[in-house]
Amino acid sequence: MNPVADCIGKVYLAVMSSNNSKKDSFTARRKIPERRKTDDLKFTKVQELVYELKIGDAMMQKVITTTPQTSMSKLREILRDNRISGTPVIENGRLVGIVSIEDFIKWLAEGAQDCPIKNKMTTNVKTMYADEPLIHAVSKLDQTGFGRFPVVDRQSKKLVGIITKGHIIERLLRKMEIDYHEEEIHRYRASHIFEDIIADKVALTFRTYLKGGDFDRAGEASSGLKKTLERLGIHPQIVRRAAIASYEAEMNVIIYAESGEISVEVQPGEIHIDVTDSGPGIPDVQKAMQPGYSTAAEWVRELGFGAGMGLVNIKKCADDMELTSSPGKGTHLKIRIDIRTTQPQTKAG
Amino acid sequence: MTLNEICKILQADFIGDVKDLDKEIKMACGSDLMSDVLSFIKADSLLLTGLANPQVVRTAEMAGIAGICFVRGKQPQPGTVKLAEEKKIPLLTTKLSMHESCGRLYREGLPGCDELK
Ligand SMILES: Nc1ncnc2c1ncn2[C@@H]1O[C@H](COP(=O)(O)OP(=O)(O)OP(=O)(O)O)[C@@H](O)[C@H]1O
Ligand SMILES: [Mg+2]
């Protein structure tokens, strides 16, 4: 394996190893799949990033350069003082060559007679564009065995930076850390909301309006609710129950009513989800609550709804549920979910 | 079982950008009724379905489903694919029928949602 891939592989393994799930515990007559071998591992996370990031994102912008007239003895000082192993050679703002430590050693071996860099530099310089994906640099470094590529602007052809394996690895690590931290920060801020406010009663309320028949946006309200609850640091199992209950209620409003709203109140100990609509109402609430009861039209069924299980699901997910309806006016569904216990206190059926 | 292994067993292809080959799938469930899915599927499962509308992805999001496989060669609309990419839910499509897809996965050791405790 080449050094970059090898190093990236190690990074990947270090990042992903904490994700390794425990061995499944079921032992039935079925064949249990063999454990994957490590060389089977695909570097998907890193792969994604090397396609997403551009060379310009990873390159070093402050490039130490020389000119064709710089002397080889001066080059020695430049390399030593800056601890670098080569420099691009620039004349009138244009890249005309590259001189590396190998050129320098060759010069030493040949007697070290002082001369301008232009006599020793490589003029056929391979460059890369700043707007190319990072993967191009990874594969080009690998194929050519070169240690660095000058990076130029595609339009002006001016030197804008330099890229080495070191820069690529550094950028990937930083990006992985940033992605991870961004969500963490949202979470941290939100989860302190209750502790930071001093009052006798603290609650967070938010409301989303729903439009009947709007299938394209159906589920957005519950999706937002889910994200908010996650950021508040609420237990994933509770978030899941709240999201499912809210989604079933949201879909009912979209399917059966003209308009409605979901209003959520999060208190330190419980979540209240109130879904009201100005739809046709439910003539027989008892009946509607029965598993399998549905008045859904054919087109609704074709979309995967109308099993008559929505209200049953809501009840299963909630600690308390109250459905009231006045035919011709609308429906009001009240859901309460306890934050302190992960299992619902009241079970359906 | 990883998504990659599932791909091979079902001769399935990924749709969209979320190609999480190493994602561990612990169990699977096949259904075309979203409320059914929401009531019995567990988090980290694979959902096999013959429906390909955006609500399938929404359902997966709410229930914490690890991946969706469309059976009988169903191809979702671009909006559905975009939503899945946003929610980082991998999508697969297989030419096999629902029955054969479930059968193959079960034979290879992937349990159903009510089996795995
Ligand atoms: N907001 C509402 N307005 C009017 N009628 C409703 C409303 N919510 C539910 N109903 C009635 O109650 C019935 C049962 O609702 P439920 O959500 O349990 O099942 P479904 O919507 O028919 O199917 P599923 O939810 O399984 O896709 C519906 O078919 C409908 O007749
Ligand atoms: Mg319903």
Side-chain angles (χ1 to χ4, degrees):
Chain A
M1 222 190 242
N2 72 65
V4 180
D6 191 29
C7 187
I8 291 174
K10 278 177 195 141
V11 170
Y12 175 85
L13 285 174
V15 173
M16 300 313 279
S17 60
S18 57
N19 267 353
N20 262 353
S21 51
K22 280 171 227 89
K23 206 174 167 76
D24 294 345
S25 56
F26 73 97
T27 45
R29 53 214 129 64
R30 279 172 272 98
K31 199 168 95 200
I32 292 181
E34 251 181 63
R35 224 87 196 104
R36 274 171 296 132
K37 291 177 200 80
T38 4
D39 56 356
D40 250 12
L41 273 180
K42 314 245 165 5
F43 305 138
T44 47
K45 262 271 141 22
V46 172
Q47 252 170 17
E48 226 179 85
L49 292 180
V50 289
Y51 281 96
E52 188 185 311
L53 292 169
K54 301 278 177 271
I55 290 178
D57 299 328
M59 70 186 184
M60 180 151 92
Q61 287 177 330
K62 268 199 288 176
V63 190
I64 292 155
T65 59
T66 47
T67 70
Q69 281 69 44
T70 311
S71 67
M72 286 303 277
S73 52
K74 178 78 183 162
L75 176 69
R76 176 210 305 254
E77 284 167 38
I78 293 171
L79 295 184
R80 189 190 54 210
D81 293 350
N82 297 293
R83 293 165 179 272
I84 52 175
S85 56
T87 78
V89 186
I90 304 288
E91 187 170 40
N92 301 328
R94 279 192 54 245
L95 180 71
V96 293
I98 191 156
V99 65
S100 70
I101 199 132
E102 286 91 62
D103 300 321
F104 180 73
I105 290 168
K106 217 152 64 184
W107 171 72
L108 281 180
E110 288 165 4
Q113 240 191 355
D114 212 1
C115 65
I117 280 178
K118 76 165 180 252
N119 297 357
K120 299 290 163 193
M121 70 185 185
T122 310
T123 48
N124 180 19
V125 193
K126 297 261 184 303
T127 58
M128 308 224 54
Y129 293 122
D131 59 8
E132 284 182 81
L134 204 50
I135 182 71
H136 287 184
V138 173
S139 49
K140 228 169 170 182
L141 285 164
D142 183 29
Q143 282 161 14
T144 59
F146 295 158
R148 72 198 65 74
F149 283 107
V151 183
V152 297
D153 181 78
R154 193 182 286 274
Q155 261 80 48
S156 66
K157 302 283 184 288
K158 282 221 169 94
L159 183 79
V160 289
I162 193 156
I163 188 120
T164 65
K165 292 172 187 177
H167 298 132
I168 295 174
I169 290 165
E170 198 185 298
R171 188 67 188 92
L172 286 176
L173 285 172
R174 201 145 42 92
K175 175 76 178 150
M176 286 196 272
E177 204 178 30
I178 291 170
D179 283 358
Y180 177 72
H181 273 299
E182 262 168 17
E183 189 53 31
E184 288 283 295
I185 287 167
H186 280 304
R187 243 163 234 235
Y188 179 80
R189 284 195 193 135
S191 63
H192 280 63
I193 217 166
F194 290 117
E195 290 151 41
D196 292 349
I197 298 169
I198 301 158
D200 288 335
K201 187 185 167 196
V202 181
L204 176 71
T205 49
F206 41 101
R207 188 166 296 177
T208 315
Y209 301 101
L210 307 173
K211 206 171 133 250
D214 189 358
F215 260 90
D216 288 337
R217 302 191 54 193
E220 275 182 16
S222 305
S223 176
L225 165 66
K226 181 171 183 243
K227 190 165 225 147
T228 306
L229 296 182
E230 277 166 358
R231 285 179 177 171
L232 286 169
I234 291 166
H235 193 286
Q237 249 160 281
I238 295 189
V239 175
R240 188 173 187 266
R241 278 167 45 204
I244 292 177
S246 155
Y247 179 62
E248 290 282 15
E250 180 177 356
M251 289 314 296
N252 280 353
V253 174
I254 304 276
I255 294 170
Y256 304 106
E258 286 81 55
S259 67
E261 63 174 58
I262 298 188
S263 163
V264 181
E265 183 175 303
V266 186
Q267 296 172 10
E270 54 192 28
I271 307 165
H272 292 268
I273 305 171
D274 268 35
V275 187
T276 48
D277 69 58
S278 52
I282 306 172
D284 188 340
V285 172
Q286 292 290 310
K287 211 162 160 189
M289 292 287 302
Q290 281 168 16
Y293 176 83
S294 176
T295 62
E298 191 50 37
W299 67 273
V300 174
R301 290 173 196 268
E302 271 164 24
L303 288 166
F305 295 89
M309 292 301 290
L311 292 170
V312 179
N313 267 354
I314 296 171
K315 186 158 186 194
K316 204 165 98 183
C317 290
D319 285 301
D320 267 319
M321 170 197 180
E322 201 184 306
L323 179 64
T324 48
S325 186
S326 16
K329 284 203 182 128
T331 302
H332 185 182
L333 176 65
K334 286 173 80 167
I335 300 164
R336 189 185 67 82
I337 294 174
D338 232 301
I339 293 183
R340 297 193 183 93
T341 52
T342 52
Q343 292 300 317
Q345 300 294 293
T346 51
K347 283 227 162 142
Chain B
M1 194 180 285
T2 63
L3 263 189
N4 195 27
E5 287 167 321
I6 288 173
C7 256
K8 283 186 193 141
I9 295 166
L10 299 181
Q11 293 155 352
D13 296 313
F14 278 97
I15 312 172
D17 280 352
V18 195
K19 302 197 172 84
D20 242 336
L21 296 171
D22 288 323
K23 196 163 193 178
E24 239 348 280
I25 304 290
K26 299 210 179 88
M27 56 207 145
C29 137
S31 177
D32 290 348
L33 293 169
M34 293 306 116
S35 290
D36 255 0
V37 172
L38 287 167
S39 108
F40 69 80
I41 207 164
K42 304 217 173 83
D44 301 325
S45 326
L46 176 76
L47 169 65
L48 294 119
T49 179
L51 289 177
N53 60 53
Q55 296 314 317
V56 177
V57 177
R58 283 287 181 215
T59 300
E61 179 195 356
M62 300 308 154
I65 291 170
I68 303 169
C69 181
F70 303 110
V71 298
R72 270 183 291 112
K74 285 274 160 66
Q75 289 285 343
Q77 298 286 309
T80 308
V81 179
K82 211 175 133 240
L83 186 62
E85 284 172 350
E86 232 171 77
K87 303 297 166 194
K88 301 221 185 316
I89 298 170
L91 302 181
L92 299 176
T93 180
T94 175
K95 293 232 159 35
L96 303 179
S97 70
M98 174 75 100
H99 179 72
E100 188 168 356
S101 305
C102 294
R104 283 196 189 192
L105 291 177
Y106 196 78
R107 187 179 61 203
E108 294 297 321
L110 194 67
C113 282
D114 42 4
E115 281 181 275
L116 198 68
K117 291 287 163 298

